[in-house]
Amino acid sequence: MNNNFVKGSWQEILDWAQNKSINMLHYCTGCGAIELPPTMTSRYDMSRFGIGPAATPRQADLLLVTGYLSTKTLRRLIYTYEQMQAPKFVVGFGSCTINGGMYWDSYNTIKQLDKYLPVEMYIAGCMPRPEAILDGLLKLKKMIADGEADGYQRYQDNLEYYHQNQEAVLGEVQRTQ
Amino acid sequence: MIDIIYRIGHFVLITVFSMALGLLFMGIARKIVARIQKRYGPPVYQPYLDVLKLFGKDAITHGFIFDFGAIMALGGVIATLFFIPLGSWQLYSMEGTVILVIYLLAIASLGMAMGTVGSGNPQASVGISRALMQMLGYELPYLVILFALIYRYQTSSVWGLMQAQAGSFLNWNLFAYPLMAAVAFVVLIGMMGKKPFDSMIAPSEIGSGPVVESGGKYLGMLLLQKSITIIIELALYVNLFLGGAENILIFTFKMLIVWVLATMFGSLFPRFRIEDGIKFFWKWPLGIAILQAIYIIT
């Protein structure tokens, strides 16, 4: 019991550090990428909340999926997600990731992102403005601090489900493990 | 026995102190760059949180060589640290520490190179080859300066060179040999991989170079390595050109001034291509260093 207490408090400290320091990998194939430069640079400066860009998936904590995903880019997104290190979060950005948005009857794009990857939260809008992005990321920070952002555990627990959905649209997916 | 414990305690203390100070300096640099870009910037303690977070994350290894490279990089800089006086606080003093320090700093870079070989990522290889090429660029003018100083003061220990500038601040090499100090400052920016000379880490071009495959705990370790490297390079500059200091507080203050200036210079310039960077080092800093060396020798 004592051991559990120590483990729990240590986890809380790590959660606290994680919520203050988030390295974001923005997957910019959709048009949402255009809202990110103002969010990162002088006008809205997200680095004051401890959120900064990451150069590679290995160094990233947060995967920001900006906009629609064709089946071709979904495959790369899955590879990217599986390269990230464990406390990792996915945020869907724009209405394309929620229900397909304006691509909803396209033959070649997926409609719901969270059938393929465990999404922590969505930022709705087409496009969401920098204020909305910052608001969403602040909510994500709160979720991480409270220990509610457990997408990577959901992915582990429901691996079958996610793999089935991925293979249904992509055919064969190359697995790292 | 007591002596050994005392010495080990000293090792640990000096390492932890340098790590903490280096991380603080990195935080200050981020704040300064933010203010120059008219941003608010992350809090000064952000690097501490980054390190804590990174050590809490999972990490994936790419084999024994990858692990060994990271350990060698960290061990190399910690070993270097013991030969550099911080104020009056130093562990070893002997003739030849200047040359020893240059050698030991290369070990850290070679450790990084080994790690990148272990990871097998082509972007990491590009990054580390650029870093080693750049080392070739800045070490030549730096060695010319160091040999000129060694010739001038007839001592090759960092402590001795620091003592030689004691007395008035006009004895500092900064004022005695200003050209040399300027060259060493440019070299310092190159050593720390700041903006005009950061082609080896270029995040948007080769995905942060040598550390491209390091995630989680490995990145945390390399961040600590980076923080100690910063302290070593600043301490070397302060000892050689700003006359050192009699206690650690003044020494830290002098290091901070050099660091802030280097950061400001770094945030003003765009990036050199690697070949242009080396050409620059071998043209201006090397030329001026040789002129100053000739002036000292004759």
Side-chain angles (χ1 to χ4, degrees):
Chain A
M1 182 239 161
N2 200 15
N3 197 16
N4 273 348
F5 175 73
V6 172
K7 238 181 196 171
S9 341
W10 180 235
Q11 191 56 47
E12 264 175 35
I13 293 173
L14 289 184
D15 281 346
W16 173 79
Q18 176 73 70
N19 111 73
K20 297 271 182 189
S21 154
I22 298 176
N23 281 12
M24 178 187 73
L25 187 72
H26 31 286
Y27 192 82
C28 292
T29 54
C31 35
I34 204 70
E35 297 291 336
L36 281 173
T39 319
M40 276 189 270
T41 51
S42 312
R43 183 74 173 87
Y44 291 99
D45 183 27
M46 62 163 61
S47 77
R48 64 202 149 116
F49 303 117
I51 307 169
T56 69
R58 296 266 187 239
Q59 303 165 5
D61 311 305
L62 167 62
L63 182 59
L64 197 64
V65 186
T66 60
Y68 72 93
L69 286 163
S70 68
T71 48
K72 193 174 173 183
T73 51
L74 176 66
R75 189 188 292 276
R76 270 73 198 177
L77 186 74
I78 290 165
Y79 293 162
T80 307
Y81 181 74
E82 289 186 346
Q83 279 180 44
M84 287 165 65
Q85 306 296 314
K88 51 185 175 182
F89 317 101
V90 182
V91 169
F93 180 106
S95 45
C96 296
T97 52
I98 300 174
N99 58 6
M102 63 188 280
Y103 298 95
W104 109 268
D105 55 355
S106 162
Y107 66 97
N108 200 25
T109 59
I110 57 148
K111 290 181 190 61
Q112 258 178 295
L113 178 60
D114 70 352
K115 279 167 81 177
Y116 309 96
L117 288 177
V119 179
E120 303 307 338
M121 59 174 295
Y122 291 105
I123 302 171
C126 182
M127 307 301 310
R129 293 212 11 103
E131 293 95 328
I133 301 170
L134 280 182
D135 184 54
L137 291 180
L138 287 179
K139 284 198 178 106
L140 178 74
K141 270 163 68 91
K142 198 165 176 310
M143 278 171 75
I144 295 171
D146 297 344
E148 287 166 14
D150 56 351
Y152 58 102
Q153 278 158 3
R154 262 185 289 137
Y155 192 68
Q156 288 283 309
D157 296 343
N158 306 316
L159 208 56
E160 286 283 294
Y161 168 77
Y162 285 113
H163 280 187
Q164 262 174 16
N165 284 344
Q166 289 165 6
E167 276 153 21
V169 287
L170 297 178
E172 196 164 328
V173 180
Q174 195 186 335
R175 302 286 173 200
T176 44
Q177 290 96 357
Chain B
M1 189 63 197
I2 294 293
D3 187 48
I4 291 174
I5 291 173
Y6 176 75
R7 186 145 274 195
I8 289 175
H10 232 94
F11 284 161
V12 174
L13 198 64
I14 208 165
T15 309
V16 171
F17 173 78
S18 312
M19 278 177 188
L21 194 65
L23 290 177
L24 181 68
F25 277 16
M26 283 157 94
I28 292 172
R30 287 179 71 171
K31 200 84 183 171
I32 290 170
V33 171
R35 287 300 163 91
I36 287 175
Q37 296 173 351
K38 286 195 174 180
R39 287 190 288 121
Y40 184 75
V44 173
Y45 51 83
Q46 184 69 38
Y48 296 105
L49 295 173
D50 285 350
V51 169
L52 185 60
K53 173 203 80 176
L54 286 171
F55 277 106
K57 276 175 82 87
D58 282 6
I60 190 168
T61 178
H62 299 273
F64 174 69
I65 297 291
F66 186 72
D67 298 359
F68 188 73
I71 294 169
M72 187 169 153
L74 188 59
V77 289
I78 291 177
T80 320
L81 195 61
F82 298 149
F83 297 98
I84 295 187
L86 299 170
S88 58
W89 190 19
Q90 69 155 8
L91 296 172
Y92 294 112
S93 175
M94 51 185 154
E95 284 298 311
T97 39
V98 174
I99 297 161
L100 188 67
V101 161
I102 295 294
Y103 266 101
L104 284 175
L105 269 179
I107 285 186
S109 300
L110 292 177
M112 294 280 275
M114 220 151 128
T116 60
V117 169
S119 77
N121 190 310
Q123 286 180 323
S125 305
V126 172
I128 198 69
S129 77
R130 285 181 183 183
L132 294 178
M133 254 147 73
Q134 181 146 302
M135 213 162 95
L136 221 62
Y138 63 69
E139 282 208 333
L140 209 54
Y142 207 48
L143 282 178
V144 171
I145 293 172
L146 289 179
F147 286 137
L149 281 179
I150 289 171
Y151 180 82
R152 167 71 181 75
Y153 295 111
Q154 294 296 320
T155 170
S156 60
S157 75
V158 182
W159 181 256
L161 288 173
M162 183 188 122
Q163 289 292 308
Q165 309 167 50
S168 151
F169 68 89
L170 286 174
N171 292 347
W172 294 359
N173 285 330
L174 177 66
F175 298 108
Y177 305 110
L179 282 180
M180 206 182 232
V183 169
F185 187 70
V186 174
V187 168
L188 182 74
I189 294 177
M191 269 176 142
M192 295 193 297
K194 282 202 168 290
K195 228 3 174 331
F197 310 111
D198 71 337
S199 61
M200 71 271 215
I201 50 166
S204 50
E205 185 189 344
I206 50 170
S208 73
V211 298
V212 73
E213 279 289 326
S214 314
K217 297 182 173 72
Y218 291 91
L219 194 61
M221 218 148 115
L222 292 175
L223 214 59
L224 291 180
Q225 187 255 354
K226 175 84 186 155
S227 69
I228 300 181
T229 315
I230 287 171
I231 295 301
I232 288 171
E233 284 153 1
L234 288 174
L236 209 55
Y237 189 86
V238 170
N239 278 324
L240 293 179
F241 295 98
L242 298 180
E246 59 265 30
N247 65 42
I248 191 79
L249 273 179
I250 300 176
F251 193 79
T252 308
F253 183 65
K254 282 182 180 175
M255 284 203 288
L256 183 63
I257 289 177
V258 178
W259 173 247
V260 168
L261 280 177
T263 308
M264 284 178 163
F265 271 92
S267 60
L268 290 182
F269 296 106
R271 185 181 299 144
F272 266 131
R273 287 167 63 105
I274 181 67
E275 59 265 35
D276 294 344
I278 292 177
K279 256 183 221 160
F280 174 81
F281 274 124
W282 283 357
K283 203 191 269 173
W284 296 109
L286 185 61
I288 296 171
I290 288 176
L291 276 184
Q292 184 84 74
I294 290 171
Y295 171 76
I296 287 176
I297 290 168
T298 51

